[in-house]
Amino acid sequence: MFNIETHIKAGSVQEAISLLMENPNARLIAGGTDVLIKLREGKPAFRHLVDIHGLAELNGIEKLPDNTLVIGSGTTFTQAIESDIIQTHIPILTDAAGSVGGPQIRNVATIGGNICNGVTSADSASPLFSLNALLSLQGPDGTRHLPIADFYKGPGRVDLGPGEILTAIRIRPEDYEQAFGYYYKYAMRNAMDIATIGCAVCLKTSGGTLTDYRLAFGVAGPVPIRCREAEKAVKGHPLTPALLEKIAATVVRDVNPRTSWRASKEFRLNIITELSKRATKKALTRAGEELS
Amino acid sequence: MTDQVLKQITFTINGVKRSLAIDIRKSLAEVLRQDLGLTGLKQGCGVGECGACSIMVDDVLVDSCIFLAVWADNAAIRTVEGEARDGKLSKVQQAYVDEGAVQCGYCTPGFIMATTAFVEQCEGKTVSDDEIRKAHAGNLCRCTGYQHIFNAVEKSMTPDDPMPGQDDHPNQES
Ligand SMILES: Cc1cc2nc3c(=O)[nH]c(=O)nc-3n(C[C@H](O)[C@H](O)[C@H](O)COP(=O)(O)OP(=O)(O)OC[C@H]3O[C@@H](n4cnc5c(N)ncnc54)[C@H](O)[C@@H]3O)c2cc1C
Ligand code: FES
Ligand code: FES
């Protein structure tokens, strides 16, 4: 039995916001694949629950008339994998969703919960960093849109104000159209494992050069990060093998991995440089480019 | 137990409609095992790692140990107990028996549900070995070494042979 004191099912986003405002100790539960584990471990933080599990308002993936992609925070990883819109326009998220847990977890775990738990290893986080995703945060004073890079405050800490709920994730057309991405997860096992390092690349090419390059990592620091130095170093670079070497050489300046039981800092640095090359190569292949 | 922690929910369990007051603190695994006596599903890890508690909620495979019982309200639940009909094993169950995919049996009810969900999803499609493995990655078995289970899954997916009594299992219709 879970140590739950109060559990209230919210019938709408508005109601969930009101319930959170009424009880400052209350926390949201969506898929529960993080929350229920913490309760199982006896953590008291989730004793009061506002339940948004399966709330229709938060579920769904659509393409707006201006081509912005909108992913409801309550979308499960299985729904993301099965989505034609995601598969067609941002397959990097299909890669990431497919790498999460096992089928039972993907059937229940939500993309919103993955972002809001503030964990650096969240498989959807670095792809969304590389896509310049905007988070729609609805609270008692209305809705604001925040770049995902500004959302993470520290391990397990995100920029959610009192009563605020992540309702959707938005990807703007300029960030995905003619752009090609790839997510590379390195873990000890091929399934049911947390990333040792997760690497996301999104790029655009034109006339034999790299015109846009966005590189993001999970577990390369206390929160997911973008690699601005490496990005700056190779924007406009010709599509030659030297490109990969340049990325690998500069990316070490952007990252700050640590030693844990899973892997040492040195090993992680090695994986980071290697994955930056491999993921870039895979994204280039998706773009129909070859290094020569 | 106070009234505050009790909630009345209604759901169908293996095709039978039930309405009962459940403790909101319970997982669906606990309600099914303790309140309904459906002890087929097992609780191994209790944290979503092993799949021994796998069941289907509205035909979606879930780990019932990390699924709140209140979420079952208005849903259709399937557990391993509902798979055999009229004393006859389902095609998936029979394949596990035929292929020797059961040793201690602790993981089996969860595996049967994982395979059943997979087979129903993939009906009419050809699947790769890799897809079979990926579809069962959320279930652990400490005895068989998996190869017999893999064989049983493959057997579950082959079109019905004309073996009498095996080809018209009522549960394969939906
Ligand atoms: C066996 C197992 C394997 C796993 N494997 C992986 C893996 O490979 N990769 C990976 O990234 N993760 C993995 N996880 C972790 C987990 O499944 C994911 O982080 C999942 O996406 C969390 O989503 P949820 O809906 O279950 O979140 P919940 O547990 O419901 O919530 C998580 C947190 O987010 C908050 N929250 C939820 N929704 C919202 C919202 N809309 N607005 C504001 N706050 C919200 C909650 O209050 C809570 O703090 C695994 C977990 C388990 C148990
Ligand atoms: S008991 Fe539920 S996954 Fe292990
Ligand atoms: S048969 Fe014993 S755990 Fe699988």
Side-chain angles (χ1 to χ4, degrees):
Chain A
M1 209 139 62
F2 300 105
N3 192 9
I4 299 168
E5 273 179 40
T6 60
H7 170 274
I8 310 179
K9 184 127 187 100
S12 66
V13 171
Q14 268 312 333
E15 194 188 340
I17 294 169
S18 310
L19 289 166
L20 288 173
M21 294 305 286
E22 277 164 30
N23 183 356
N25 293 323
R27 305 283 296 269
L28 292 171
I29 183 167
T33 61
D34 282 319
V35 169
L36 294 175
I37 306 302
K38 287 185 183 142
L39 277 167
R40 194 70 92 200
E41 289 165 353
K43 301 225 169 93
F46 291 92
R47 269 184 314 208
H48 300 278
L49 295 177
V50 170
D51 193 342
I52 53 170
H53 181 88
L55 199 61
E57 222 180 312
L58 294 175
N59 200 279
I61 299 156
E62 60 172 337
K63 189 169 156 203
L64 301 183
D66 74 352
N67 286 353
T68 300
L69 307 180
V70 184
I71 304 162
S73 67
T75 302
T76 65
F77 287 115
T78 298
Q79 288 169 331
I81 292 166
E82 289 171 356
S83 158
D84 284 341
I85 293 178
I86 290 183
Q87 177 70 59
T88 308
H89 299 292
I90 44 172
I92 185 172
L93 213 55
T94 319
D95 304 336
S99 80
V100 173
Q104 292 91 332
I105 298 294
R106 292 193 292 273
N107 284 346
V108 177
T110 68
I111 192 163
N114 200 227
I115 301 304
C116 291
N117 64 21
V119 174
T120 186
S121 60
D123 282 309
S124 65
S126 53
L128 292 174
F129 269 66
S130 77
L131 288 164
N132 287 327
L134 286 180
L135 305 183
S136 306
L137 304 167
Q138 193 178 333
D141 304 322
T143 300
R144 61 186 174 117
H145 299 284
L146 187 72
I148 190 168
D150 298 336
F151 187 59
Y152 284 83
K153 296 289 170 206
R157 283 188 298 121
V158 292
D159 186 6
L160 278 173
E164 254 185 341
I165 293 179
L166 170 66
T167 54
I169 296 153
R170 303 165 82 86
I171 318 285
R172 290 163 299 190
E174 61 267 33
D175 291 318
Y176 77 86
E177 282 174 351
Q178 276 89 52
F180 297 88
Y182 192 83
Y183 177 66
Y184 205 123
K185 175 174 177 172
Y186 181 95
M188 297 306 178
R189 294 188 294 161
N190 285 336
M192 294 294 284
D193 205 356
I194 299 298
T196 305
I197 291 288
C199 174
V201 165
C202 235
L203 53 78
K204 293 182 191 174
T205 59
S206 172
T209 63
L210 194 62
T211 52
D212 191 1
Y213 185 66
R214 292 171 248 143
L215 175 64
F217 277 97
V219 211
V223 294
I225 44 162
R226 271 286 284 278
C227 300
R228 306 286 178 184
E229 291 278 329
E231 292 178 7
K232 239 188 329 191
V234 296
K235 230 167 255 179
H237 199 287
L239 301 179
T240 59
L243 169 66
L244 297 183
E245 296 315 318
K246 187 136 195 194
I247 293 166
T250 41
V251 70
V252 289
R253 285 191 241 144
D254 288 301
V255 296
N256 181 26
R258 66 177 188 115
T259 295
S260 77
W261 65 268
R262 242 177 249 281
S264 67
K265 179 184 171 114
E266 291 72 22
F267 183 41
R268 282 209 164 89
L269 275 172
N270 192 358
I271 305 169
I272 288 167
T273 49
E274 186 57 31
L275 290 197
S276 68
K277 292 193 273 186
R278 288 195 198 179
T280 303
K281 224 171 152 181
K282 291 272 193 187
L284 284 168
T285 306
R286 278 190 178 160
E289 301 280 9
E290 236 176 278
L291 297 173
S292 59
Chain B
M1 202 156 74
T2 63
D3 284 354
Q4 241 187 341
V5 296
L6 288 180
K7 188 175 184 251
Q8 191 74 22
I9 64 166
T10 304
F11 54 93
T12 59
I13 172 77
N14 298 325
V16 180
K17 197 160 179 176
R18 290 292 298 257
S19 188
L20 74 162
I22 54 142
D23 188 322
I24 56 143
R25 299 169 298 178
K26 281 189 177 180
S27 68
L28 188 50
E30 286 164 330
V31 164
L32 293 171
R33 285 182 57 88
Q34 298 165 3
D35 299 15
L36 295 179
L38 295 169
T39 53
L41 70 93
K42 302 288 179 271
Q43 180 151 317
C45 65
V47 288
E49 296 279 351
C50 75
C53 64
S54 300
I55 59 161
M56 281 194 253
V57 177
D58 291 331
D59 292 327
V60 175
L61 187 73
V62 307
D63 290 323
S64 60
C65 71
I66 50 167
F67 196 91
L68 285 182
V70 291
W71 294 341
D73 200 14
N74 297 318
I77 314 289
R78 285 168 66 185
T79 68
V80 72
E81 285 87 351
E83 295 306 299
R85 297 281 169 86
D86 307 323
K88 203 192 293 166
L89 297 181
S90 74
K91 184 170 173 177
V92 172
Q93 289 173 311
Q94 192 61 51
Y96 270 70
V97 173
D98 294 345
E99 293 300 321
V102 181
Q103 285 188 34
C104 80
Y106 200 83
C107 70
T108 311
F111 261 106
I112 295 288
M113 297 317 283
T115 304
T116 304
F118 179 64
V119 168
E120 289 177 6
Q121 259 165 36
C122 298
E123 217 181 295
K125 292 183 217 155
T126 46
V127 299
S128 65
D129 291 4
D130 206 44
E131 282 169 308
I132 292 180
R133 292 205 170 87
K134 215 174 166 197
H136 294 78
N139 293 76
L140 293 182
C141 174
R142 301 189 60 160
C143 303
T144 64
Y146 298 106
Q147 189 55 46
H148 293 282
I149 293 176
F150 182 89
N151 296 347
V153 180
E154 273 197 321
K155 183 159 189 172
S156 308
M157 307 202 68
T158 51
D160 282 323
D161 52 32
M163 226 180 11
Q166 293 294 325
D167 55 347
D168 58 355
H169 193 279
N171 206 35
Q172 303 295 322
E173 280 165 19
S174 59

